[in-house]
Amino acid sequence: MRTHPRSRAVRVPGGLSLRLDPRALIVVVLLLAAALAAGVALIGTGDAKIPAADVLRTLAGNGTAYQDFIVRELRLPRVLVGLLVGASLGLGGALFQSVSRNPLGSPDVLGLSQGATAGALVVIVLMSGSAASVTVGALAGGLVTGLAIYLLAWRQGVHGYRLVLVGIGVSAMLTAVNGYLLTKADMVDAARAVVWMTGSLNGRDWDQVWPLLALCAVLVPLVLAHARGLRMLEMGDDTAGALGVPVQRVRLVVMTGAVLLTAAATAAAGPVSFVALTAPQLARRLTRSPGPNLVPSLCMGAALLVTADWAAQRAFGADQLPVGVVTGVLGGGYLLWLLVTERRAGRI
């Protein structure tokens, strides 16, 4: 495997070595700074405006009782959910695009978001379930959809274009199912379902933060530990297998992690569109580095979603839009540009 000319080997205790790309490291630091800055700005946004300095002072434990209530109880959970959802979608998108070796291989296109939506709609429409039940339904729907796509795409292994084609077909079927479920709902449940399907961070509290944080704490290190094998898989299964990579095991682990990350993000904030598609591509263009770019994609997803949520609250005057509307408009434009680029390059 050819090493990127800018990467440097760094020895760590235990005899292991890591290769660091200085440009990628700078991009990660800048994206983290941008995500945190957007988070601080978002916490200070609202009817009760709080300057950034006061937000930071309150987060450090030195704010007034009023500021502490506004920041810690009302707005901080929403920002944390936004950061975690964006990071989960960015990382999940990078994993799927790397496995499929296709820039269109994201959860939006493959039907995982639609599967999680179907699970949530079943709970909302047929069971009139609580918010916790909707979360469980979305997780179950995403997992069942991911398993179905994997099994349908399996033929002596799972290969990229077959995975994308099966995912597109499953996505179309689930979109029809979701539309049918909406027609069977009463007015109250239908309005509730439409709000959830838009993708929004409104009303998010600590009940959404802790489960998503716990899941990310387990899954992110797990998939990052397979980054080297995933990078080798991009050279082809035969080459990766010859280099000692357990091809199907690595693919199964990273796909399971990507499905769980996507389903958990959808359960927490609804199907926020296009973040999983755009974040890995933007990260790759910034780092100019080969490979899956998992950490830059994670940071890009977090920065994109929190920035989009700030724009949804501030860019349209008194009208506050759900964050899914903003990401849908921006991501749809990016998808059109990506399709034109891929066509000109002769790849589609």
Side-chain angles (χ1 to χ4, degrees):
M1 180 177 63
R2 189 174 67 177
T3 302
H4 197 269
R6 292 191 307 268
S7 62
R8 298 176 181 176
V10 177
R11 292 286 180 181
V12 298
L16 300 176
S17 64
L18 299 174
R19 293 198 175 276
L20 297 179
D21 183 346
R23 182 186 178 94
L25 184 60
I26 292 172
V27 168
V28 166
V29 171
L30 292 177
L31 288 174
L32 283 175
L36 294 176
V40 170
L42 186 57
I43 290 175
T45 297
D47 294 334
K49 294 181 174 58
I50 302 177
D54 290 341
V55 171
L56 294 174
R57 188 161 46 246
T58 303
L59 290 174
N62 298 319
T64 65
Y66 171 76
Q67 291 173 337
D68 192 67
F69 175 74
I70 294 294
V71 170
R72 293 179 178 272
E73 298 301 323
L74 297 183
R75 297 179 181 173
L76 180 60
R78 173 181 180 140
V79 170
L80 291 178
V81 170
L83 290 170
L84 290 170
V85 167
S88 299
L89 292 175
L91 181 56
L95 292 169
F96 274 115
Q97 290 180 21
S98 180
V99 168
S100 64
R101 297 197 290 275
N102 191 316
L104 298 177
S106 78
D108 306 285
V109 178
L110 297 180
L112 292 171
S113 298
Q114 289 82 354
T117 301
L121 285 179
V122 167
V123 174
I124 293 173
V125 174
L126 302 182
M127 305 176 185
S128 298
S130 63
S133 300
V134 172
T135 299
V136 174
L139 281 170
L143 288 172
V144 171
T145 303
L147 178 62
I149 292 172
Y150 188 85
L151 293 177
L152 290 171
W154 177 273
R155 197 176 78 182
Q156 297 180 344
V158 175
H159 301 282
Y161 282 98
R162 190 187 309 142
L163 182 70
V164 172
L165 290 174
V166 169
I168 291 173
V170 170
S171 177
M173 294 172 62
L174 288 172
T175 299
V177 170
N178 293 339
Y180 172 76
L181 288 173
L182 283 177
T183 65
K184 303 299 291 183
D186 58 36
M187 291 298 294
V188 175
D189 287 339
R192 180 184 172 198
V194 169
V195 171
W196 188 88
M197 289 174 65
T198 304
S200 175
L201 296 174
N202 291 337
R204 297 304 180 264
D205 56 26
W206 291 105
D207 291 338
Q208 283 83 38
V209 173
W210 297 121
L212 188 54
L213 181 61
L215 194 67
C216 288
V218 174
L219 293 177
V220 171
L222 177 65
V223 297
L224 291 182
H226 290 79
R228 180 175 177 273
L230 191 61
R231 183 173 180 177
M232 291 183 177
L233 283 181
E234 293 187 347
M235 299 186 297
D237 290 3
D238 293 339
T239 302
L243 293 172
V245 176
V247 173
Q248 296 305 326
R249 189 182 73 186
V250 170
R251 184 174 284 125
L252 179 60
V253 169
V254 298
M255 285 186 63
T256 302
V259 169
L260 288 171
L261 287 168
T262 302
T266 305
V272 180
S273 58
F274 289 112
V275 173
L277 175 69
T278 58
Q281 294 299 312
L282 293 176
R284 184 186 293 266
R285 282 167 170 77
L286 287 177
T287 62
R288 299 178 186 173
S289 176
N293 284 283
L294 298 184
V295 176
S297 299
L298 180 153
C299 298
M300 177 62 77
L304 278 178
L305 190 55
V306 177
T307 303
D309 194 35
W310 180 88
Q313 293 191 50
R314 300 289 295 174
F316 302 94
D319 297 325
Q320 294 189 8
L321 300 179
V323 67
V325 174
V326 177
T327 61
V329 171
L330 298 178
Y334 176 81
L335 177 60
L336 292 175
W337 175 83
L338 181 62
L339 290 172
V340 171
T341 301
E342 292 291 303
R343 182 179 179 182
R344 288 178 177 174
R347 289 189 285 266
I348 60 174

